Amino acid sequence: MEVRMRRLRVVLFLLLLNSCAIKTTYNPGILYSKAWWDTCLINPVCIATLTGNGIHILNLPKANNALLQSGFLVGTAVGSLNRVEVSLDGGSFSPAIGTNSWRFQLPTGGSLWKKGSIHSIQIRSVDLSGNIVANLSQSVQKGTNKDINGDGFVDILAGASLYSGNLGQVYVFYGTGTAPFTGSTAAQANVTITGSGANSYFGNALALGDINGDGYADIIVAANGITGGGTGYVYIFHSTGSAGITATSVSSANTAIAGPGGALFGYSLTIADVNGDGYEDLGVGAYAYSASTGQAFVFQSSGSSGIVAASSASANATITGVASSNFGASVALGDINGDGYADLAVGGNMVSTSAGQVFVFHSSGAGGITATAAGGANTSIPGETSYNDFGISVNIADLNGDGYGDLQVGATRYTNTYTGKVYIFHSSGSGGVTASVATSANVFLNGVNSGDTFGVSLSTGDVNGDGLLDLAVGANGVSSSTGAAYVFMGQGSGGVSTTAATVILGESASNTFGNPVLLEDRNADGFADLSVAANGFSSSVGKTYVFLSAGFLGLPFSGAASANYSFIGTSAGGMSSLAGLFKNQNEISDSSGYFAFGEIALFFPSN
């Protein structure tokens, strides 16, 4: 009995001691604590400490020539620091803002730091005694600025041109880094901008880039149905800085450009620097101008004020198409001949009984695009046969790694069965694309079945980090308009593979998944992620999906429901456009002037 009592007293004492003990806090912020170790693999400061490098860039992967799509570097540094300093291209060191969490604005508005340019960056941290405690060196490639609020991460826009009687809305979702987005509905967007006037179709096409050179991305929104007769407007909203976009209606736009009467001005949009001044310029298509003769316009940035034109009459370049061509149905800017200036590709899908044709206009240099008519194109490529709709979509990107932009063209109506086909024309070098017929393309990608509309949208990016651009192709008619998105991997000098590495099918019939598609790195890991719109989802409520790359494995997805993130629109909103696409790739027919947004159609007089 005595032994049992002694044991009982010991147990009670231990219980009392435990109840009086000071409990440790589970806090990942306490250096080398259990919580710190438990979360180390997802904590960049921890990783930097363990690797002996006390500086980390949060919005760039550690890779040579990593693509930077922000006007800022953002990162962390370990220790008790006096400052963090940054040197660009071997120049003197300048202080960043902050220490343990730091931010540094990159140069803007100059001829050196422009899209495609390669730069060296050195970052160092300095302790309270003035000692350099850590260094980090890296090379970067400047991309288009897609960071609206300067936090270092790419943001996303989604357009819903059918919202509220086709009034239209645009939604801004700010990226946040490794977990790129919060929210899952249009109502949870960080910013919502509403159009003006019924049937204006505000948000039918979008673009994102730094127009005024302040280091923050601005947004460009088209409303090609405004004023009832399809005159069309293009609106530019400047970022206010770290607060991003604060506008909620078109009345707050910094620039509003009116198009010609009945032209559907703004049906397609593209941005790039055509005159080499370091500021993004704007290309606009208006395919319905003068009974579908069509026009394409280029508006050059004026510098810190951005684009100041109030009407298409003030465009720096106005190019008129040929009769009944739908010239301007698609537009794309990119450097095809390697002279450092963006060239303009324009699609006219109705040329020669809808065989279609694509026209390429080279920049003249500091003067930009100077052509005034389709006949002045440096390259003109007609489609294969009648009823192909060659030129319904165009894109410019270097797919064979030679440093020159290549031309990709969609023909959704191929063989008049809407099976669809994509043609890829490699640049010859300083002469640009020299093909004179569609059958001279270097690579052909083919749809599978009638009605697929393969090639309705095109986008490029490196999804597996091998340094080669891959190509995403939308086919929104697949399987009773369920829709699909295809990804073809880059193979080096031969361009992309002709067999899709990834095929993602939409959720259900009539969703029109795949219109458009967009490849872009959403989580700053150095791998391009895939965003896809389905403007027919849930009776044109619309939905946008984001599929994150799995790194070297690329995009191992097969169904839309497995997307990492998705955003659902509002009632009959018809999310139908994503920023970064060169046009809102909605189908255009050859005879009736019909074009559709989601499940709603408008009819214009036949030619």
Side-chain angles (χ1 to χ4, degrees):
M1 176 65 72
E2 181 64 26
V3 173
R4 290 180 179 177
M5 289 300 297
R6 282 200 301 270
R7 288 177 178 172
L8 180 60
R9 284 194 292 269
V10 170
V11 170
L12 290 173
F13 174 76
L14 291 174
L15 289 172
L16 178 63
L17 183 64
N18 182 64
S19 66
C20 296
I22 298 174
K23 301 293 186 182
T24 58
T25 302
Y26 189 84
N27 182 358
I30 299 175
L31 200 64
Y32 303 120
S33 68
K34 181 180 185 302
W36 187 83
W37 285 107
D38 287 347
T39 61
C40 187
L41 290 179
I42 60 172
N43 184 342
V45 176
C46 169
I47 294 172
T49 303
L50 292 179
T51 58
N53 187 352
I55 300 177
H56 186 75
I57 303 175
L58 294 179
N59 64 330
L60 275 180
K62 182 59 178 174
N64 287 330
N65 300 337
L67 184 65
L68 180 64
Q69 293 185 288
S70 171
F72 292 83
L73 294 172
V74 296
T76 58
V78 175
S80 298
L81 303 176
N82 175 268
R83 63 190 181 275
V84 170
E85 299 177 325
V86 180
S87 167
L88 304 177
D89 296 321
S92 59
F93 281 89
S94 299
I97 298 172
T99 53
N100 297 118
S101 293
W102 57 267
R103 180 170 175 261
F104 184 82
Q105 185 167 8
L106 297 166
T108 61
S111 59
L112 295 179
W113 278 78
K114 60 182 181 179
K115 184 177 179 180
S117 59
I118 305 294
H119 303 275
S120 63
I121 294 175
Q122 186 176 0
I123 306 169
R124 67 188 185 189
S125 57
V126 181
D127 67 15
L128 299 177
S129 300
N131 301 309
I132 298 172
V133 294
N135 274 288
L136 175 64
S137 297
Q138 185 165 350
S139 61
V140 301
Q141 179 182 180
K142 184 71 171 67
T144 300
N145 190 341
K146 303 291 183 68
D147 177 13
I148 296 171
N149 59 353
D151 63 357
F153 301 105
V154 169
D155 305 314
I156 191 170
L157 307 184
S161 57
L162 303 183
Y163 171 79
S164 187
N166 309 326
L167 178 70
Q169 280 189 331
V170 168
Y171 311 98
V172 181
F173 298 88
Y174 292 138
T176 58
T178 53
F181 302 106
T182 58
S184 59
T185 68
Q188 294 172 297
N190 297 94
V191 179
T192 299
I193 307 174
T194 304
S196 175
N199 297 321
S200 66
Y201 294 99
F202 179 77
N204 73 273
L206 307 169
L208 183 61
D210 187 4
I211 296 291
N212 60 351
D214 62 356
Y216 299 87
D218 311 305
I219 69 173
I220 302 97
V221 183
N224 69 357
I226 206 163
T227 70
T231 293
Y233 264 76
V234 172
Y235 301 92
I236 302 175
F237 301 86
H238 293 171
S239 170
T240 62
S242 58
I245 299 295
T246 58
T248 57
S249 70
V250 296
S251 61
S252 299
N254 297 87
T255 299
I257 309 172
L264 296 181
F265 178 77
Y267 183 78
S268 52
L269 298 175
T270 180
I271 61 168
D273 181 9
V274 301
N275 61 348
D277 63 356
Y279 297 91
E280 302 282 18
D281 307 311
L282 173 65
V284 181
Y287 80 86
Y289 171 79
S290 186
S292 296
T293 294
Q295 285 186 324
F297 304 85
V298 177
F299 300 87
Q300 293 178 11
S301 172
S302 65
S304 59
S305 296
I307 292 169
V308 296
S311 76
S312 58
S314 299
N316 297 89
T318 300
I319 308 173
T320 302
V322 296
S324 303
S325 65
N326 270 11
F327 182 85
S330 60
V331 291
L333 284 169
D335 187 4
I336 286 181
N337 59 355
D339 62 357
Y341 303 91
D343 309 306
L344 176 67
V346 182
N349 67 300
M350 276 175 52
V351 172
S352 299
T353 320
S354 292
Q357 194 160 338
V358 171
F359 307 82
V360 179
F361 305 88
H362 292 171
S363 170
S364 66
I369 305 294
T370 57
T372 59
N378 298 86
T379 300
S380 180
I381 309 173
E384 286 191 64
T385 60
S386 299
Y387 306 113
N388 275 4
D389 275 351
F390 179 82
I392 193 71
S393 58
V394 291
N395 189 44
I396 298 173
D398 179 12
L399 292 180
N400 61 350
D402 63 356
Y404 298 90
D406 305 312
L407 176 66
Q408 302 101 56
V409 182
T412 53
R413 200 178 174 182
Y414 179 69
T415 68
N416 202 24
T417 62
Y418 291 96
T419 299
K421 188 172 182 177
V422 172
Y423 304 75
I424 301 173
F425 303 87
H426 293 163
S427 172
S428 66
S430 59
V433 172
T434 57
S436 58
V437 292
T439 52
S440 296
N442 299 88
V443 179
F444 302 92
L445 306 175
N446 294 286
V448 179
N449 298 307
S450 297
D452 281 359
T453 60
F454 179 83
V456 71
S457 56
L458 307 167
S459 185
T460 53
D462 183 5
V463 303
N464 62 348
D466 62 357
L468 302 170
L469 288 181
D470 311 306
L471 175 67
V473 180
N476 66 334
V478 167
S479 188
S480 300
S481 295
T482 296
Y486 299 79
V487 179
F488 299 86
M489 307 303 289
Q491 298 186 123
S493 59
V496 300
S497 169
T498 56
T499 301
T502 298
V503 180
I504 305 175
L505 192 66
E507 292 192 67
S508 59
S510 301
N511 276 9
T512 60
F513 177 85
N515 182 22
V517 294
L518 177 60
L519 284 175
E520 205 161 67
D521 184 6
R522 298 286 173 201
N523 56 354
D525 63 354
F527 302 92
D529 309 306
L530 176 65
S531 302
V532 185
N535 60 5
F537 177 83
S538 187
S539 300
S540 292
V541 167
K543 190 172 182 178
T544 295
Y545 304 79
V546 179
F547 304 87
L548 298 182
S549 169
F552 299 115
L553 297 177
L555 291 160
F557 299 91
S558 59
S562 59
N564 300 90
Y565 300 89
S566 61
F567 310 94
I568 298 175
T570 58
S571 177
M575 278 193 178
S576 58
S577 53
L578 296 172
L581 268 291
F582 296 115
K583 68 183 288 291
N584 181 31
Q585 316 281 0
N586 293 300
E587 197 65 32
I588 310 172
S589 80
D590 60 293
S591 58
S592 64
Y594 164 98
F595 68 102
F597 297 87
E599 298 296 308
I600 297 178
L602 292 178
F603 289 85
F604 290 88
S606 300
N607 298 322

